[in-house]
C-alpha cells in the first residue's frame, strides 16, 4: 500500500487529526494538507543522471568481479584489495562506493542467473471439461496358454 493512501485512509476514513498523522509520519502538517488537497497518487522524484567517479573504472571492476566469481572462495581477492588496486590506477573516491558497486553488481548477476537459462514455465491449468485425466491401465497376461487382457479403472 502506498504511503499517500495510508495518509488518506487515516485522514478520511479513520478521521485522524492532521497533527497526529504528522506525528506518526514525520511530515509537516502543511505537506499532509497538500497531499490531501491535491489527491496525488505518490510523489515521484526524478533524480537526474549524474556522472560518478566510478564510471571510468566500472568496466574494469566488473571484469575483476567476474574473474573472482570463477575462483574458489579462498583464492578470491576482497573488495578492499580491489579498491587498493583502483587507487593505484588513479581512482580517488572512497571504499564505500566500490563496495556499493560490488554489492549492486552481485545482485544484478544473481537476478540474471535466476531468470535466464531455465526455460519458460507454463502451468498446466485447465478449465473444467477442457482436459481429462484417466487412470485406466491394461494388463496382458497368459493364463492356460490364452493371452488375455485385464482392464482396471
Amino acid at each position: 500500500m502506498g504511503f499517500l493512501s495510508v495518509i488518506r485512509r487515516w485522514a478520511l476514513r479513520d478521521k485522524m487529526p492532521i497533527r497526529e498523522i504528522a506525528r506518526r509520519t514525520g511530515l509537516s502538517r502543511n505537506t499532509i494538507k497538500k497531499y490531501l488537497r491535491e489527491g496525488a497518487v505518490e510523489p515521484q522524484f526524478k533524480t537526474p543522471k549524474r556522472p560518478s567517479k566510478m564510471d571510468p573504472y566500472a568496466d574494469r571492476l566488473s571484469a575483476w568481479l567476474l574473474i573472482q566469481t570463477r575462483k574458489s572462495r579462498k583464492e578470491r581477492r576482497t573488495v578492499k584489495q580491489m579498491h587498493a588496486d583502483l587507487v593505484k590506477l588513479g581512482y580517488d573516491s572512497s571504499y564505500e562506493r566500490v563496495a556499493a558497486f560490488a554489492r549492486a553488481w552481485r545482485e544484478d548477476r544473481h537476478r540474471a542467473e535466476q531468470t535466464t537459462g531455465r526455460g519458460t514455465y507454463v502451468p498446466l491449468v485447465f478449465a473444467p471439461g477442457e482436459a481429462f485425466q484417466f487412470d485406466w491401465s491394461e494388463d496382458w497376461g497368459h493364463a492356460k496358454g490364452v493371452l488375455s487382457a485385464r482392464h482396471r479403472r
Side-chain angles (χ1 to χ4, degrees), residues 67-68 70-78 81:
I67 290 169
Q68 297 309 310
R70 295 180 182 144
K71 292 183 178 180
S72 70
R73 188 179 58 83
K74 291 191 174 191
E75 293 176 350
R76 291 182 189 165
R77 293 171 40 217
T78 64
Q81 292 169 334

Side-chain angles (χ1 to χ4, degrees), residues 9-144:
R9 187 183 71 222
W10 285 343
L12 303 175
R13 190 181 75 187
D14 299 342
K15 305 294 185 203
M16 186 181 293
I18 290 178
R19 184 175 296 232
E20 177 64 19
I21 296 172
R23 189 186 65 75
R24 288 186 182 190
T25 61
L27 298 174
S28 72
R29 291 180 307 202
N30 291 338
T31 303
I32 293 170
K33 288 178 191 175
K34 181 182 82 170
Y35 287 159
L36 292 172
R37 191 173 45 245
E38 286 179 356
V41 179
E42 286 290 329
Q44 301 212 350
F45 304 104
K46 295 187 177 172
T47 307
K49 180 72 175 156
R50 296 183 186 113
S52 169
K53 290 184 178 182
M54 178 61 73
D55 289 345
Y57 304 97
D59 292 338
R60 179 165 291 168
L61 185 57
S62 295
W64 286 350
L65 289 167
L66 183 62
I67 290 169
Q68 297 309 310
T69 59
R70 295 180 182 144
K71 292 183 178 180
S72 70
R73 188 179 58 83
K74 291 191 174 191
E75 293 176 350
R76 291 182 189 165
R77 293 171 40 217
T78 64
V79 177
K80 280 191 177 189
Q81 292 169 334
M82 290 184 219
H83 173 257
D85 291 343
L86 286 175
V87 168
K88 290 177 187 173
L89 294 174
Y91 178 70
D92 62 345
S93 190
S94 67
Y95 162 75
E96 284 77 18
R97 288 287 87 218
V98 176
F101 180 88
R103 224 179 354 264
W105 184 87
R106 286 185 187 117
E107 288 172 4
D108 291 344
R109 182 170 165 81
H110 181 69
R111 193 176 310 109
E113 285 176 353
Q114 286 191 344
T115 57
T116 58
R118 297 193 317 172
T120 304
Y121 171 71
V122 180
L124 294 176
V125 178
F126 302 102
E130 189 177 313
F132 304 97
Q133 177 180 350
F134 295 98
D135 291 335
W136 293 358
S137 66
E138 189 174 64
D139 295 333
W140 292 87
H142 291 279
K144 297 183 184 176

